Amino acid sequence: MSRLSSSKKLRRIALIAVFGALAYALMLVIHFKVSFLTLDLKDAVITLSGLYFGPGAALSLSVLVPLLELISVSDTGLYGFLMNFISTATLSLTASLIYRYKRSLMGAIIALLSAAAATVGVMMLFNLWITPYYMGVTVADVQALIPTLLLPFNTVKSLMNVGFVLLLYKPISAVMQRMKLIEKSTQQQKLDWRTIAVAVLALALIAISLGIVFGVLGGRFEWR
């Protein structure tokens, strides 16, 4: 029994590490610059790990991936690490904690939308507390950026990552179940109207977010 338990734990750790590596790789390869802010897809991957493996996985990767970014490619130093950690941890932990107690399609949607709202609110507060020190400006200067940059950026960033989570959760689950990496769900796996509706919602969130990034906020796509 102990061997089986140890095997499951090792497999779990290995899978969480794979999600961490994927999050870091996506951060390196794909990101969008909006003024001094950066939007990437690592939060979606870390949130997925939280939905699959629980809040502990989400918190661990919320620390490790931004830390790797800090010591490897970041040009924003400790400020960037703190804001990355706060944003990623708020989104992934909120989603995984809610989903942990309501593991259903509606539970996932509620968890992710709640997580997006929480992330926007938390980031507004921490932008007011931390950004003045980083940019060497007053709190009033940062407040002036909220309606034109900080609020729309954090809203778009949260919703885009939620869109990718909704789009990828079921396909990745199906692959891992076939590979016996996670236990099979008791819910039906057939394609039905709910699955299609979630995919449409996810694509709409992604499309609207990208439209705002490029059309309204003047963002630009970059490769590192």
Side-chain angles (χ1 to χ4, degrees), residues 156 203-213:
V156 163
L203 290 171
L205 288 175
I206 294 168
I208 292 170
S209 298
L210 287 173
I212 295 173
V213 166

Side-chain angles (χ1 to χ4, degrees), residues 93-163:
L93 277 175
T94 302
S96 59
L97 283 168
I98 295 175
Y99 185 65
R100 184 178 185 181
Y101 295 102
K102 192 168 180 62
R103 300 185 70 86
S104 65
L105 176 59
M106 186 54 63
I109 293 174
I110 291 171
L112 289 167
L113 293 180
S114 299
T119 302
V120 173
V122 167
M123 293 310 294
M124 291 303 96
L125 290 175
F126 277 92
N127 270 294
L128 290 172
W129 292 341
I130 297 176
T131 301
Y133 296 100
Y134 169 70
M135 297 186 67
V137 297
T138 66
V139 173
D141 292 328
V142 177
Q143 288 175 331
L145 292 175
I146 289 178
T148 58
L149 177 63
L150 298 176
L151 180 59
F153 173 83
N154 283 288
T155 301
V156 163
K157 179 180 178 180
S158 299
L159 290 179
M160 177 181 287
N161 279 286
V162 163

Side-chain angles (χ1 to χ4, degrees), residues 57-93:
L59 180 59
S60 298
L61 294 186
S62 294
V63 175
L64 291 174
V65 176
L67 183 60
L68 286 173
E69 182 178 356
L70 170 66
I71 63 179
S72 60
V73 297
S74 175
D75 57 3
T76 56
L78 186 59
Y79 168 81
F81 168 75
L82 286 173
M83 300 304 273
N84 263 324
F85 165 71
I86 294 165
S87 176
T88 304
T90 303
L91 185 71
S92 60
L93 277 175

Side-chain angles (χ1 to χ4, degrees), residues 1-14:
M1 180 67 100
S2 60
R3 288 183 179 178
L4 180 60
S5 177
S6 297
S7 176
K8 285 185 176 181
K9 287 180 180 178
L10 288 173
R11 182 172 62 182
R12 176 188 176 88
I13 292 171

Side-chain angles (χ1 to χ4, degrees), residues 33-54:
K33 293 292 291 184
V34 179
S35 185
F36 62 92
L37 305 169
T38 303
L39 188 159
D40 56 46
L41 301 180
K42 69 176 179 293
D43 288 3
V45 179
I46 293 172
T47 301
L48 279 167
S49 76
L51 297 183
Y52 291 129
F53 307 112

